[in-house]
Amino acid sequence: MADCLFCKIVGGSIPSERVAETERILAFRDINPAAPTHVLLIPKEHVADSAEQLHGEHGLMLAELFGLAAEIAAEAHLEEGWRLVTNVGAGAGQSVFHFHVHLLGGRPLGWPPG
Ligand code: DGP
């Protein structure tokens, strides 16, 4: 999508600190980290604005995303625990409408979240 921030990050016209990638997924550091490890995982293709638009045909992409998150967590030595979060809608704090998942770790993560 021409006007999407994360599509521009995928395309490289907006720089990012890339952590890892697969065929379908790009992982890069959040510009405003909420934890020592805060990585965003996004499908390279703009397949959904948020998780509410996902369905069966996105299964392979989601499996790849979760698998890559686990690899990044292992490399970052997040043995104390880590969290995946996806915000749906402005009321939940979503500010970029290209489906993405936050990987958070490196500090105690309270539950339930605030
Ligand atoms: P959300 O609030 O769930 O839509 O998460 C969007 C995240 O994207 C937010 O934590 C900040 C991050 N972000 C916004 N703009 C940029 C950017 O230009 N570069 C990077 N790396 N992250 C960004």
Side-chain angles (χ1 to χ4, degrees), residues 43-107:
K44 291 177 179 174
E45 229 184 282
H46 192 126
V47 295
D49 293 346
S50 67
E52 68 188 341
Q53 294 174 351
L54 296 172
H55 45 86
E57 75 183 47
H58 303 124
L60 202 55
M61 178 277 287
L62 289 168
E64 215 170 282
L65 188 154
F66 274 71
L68 188 61
E71 283 177 27
I72 294 167
E75 275 177 29
H77 302 288
L78 302 180
E79 289 89 4
E80 297 294 315
W82 46 283
R83 181 171 294 158
L84 297 179
V85 179
T86 187
N87 296 320
V88 179
Q94 188 176 7
S95 59
V96 180
F97 289 81
H98 175 134
F99 167 66
H100 57 278
V101 173
H102 298 254
L103 165 59
L104 297 158
R107 65 164 170 81

Side-chain angles (χ1 to χ4, degrees), residues 8-55:
K8 289 177 183 164
I9 284 179
V10 172
S13 62
I14 291 181
S16 67
E17 191 182 334
R18 293 178 178 224
V19 175
E21 65 182 298
T22 62
E23 185 185 342
R24 296 175 185 79
I25 305 298
L26 176 66
F28 56 95
R29 297 203 187 279
D30 195 292
I31 204 168
N32 186 21
T37 296
H38 188 168
V39 173
L40 299 172
L41 296 112
I42 70 171
K44 291 177 179 174
E45 229 184 282
H46 192 126
V47 295
D49 293 346
S50 67
E52 68 188 341
Q53 294 174 351
L54 296 172
H55 45 86

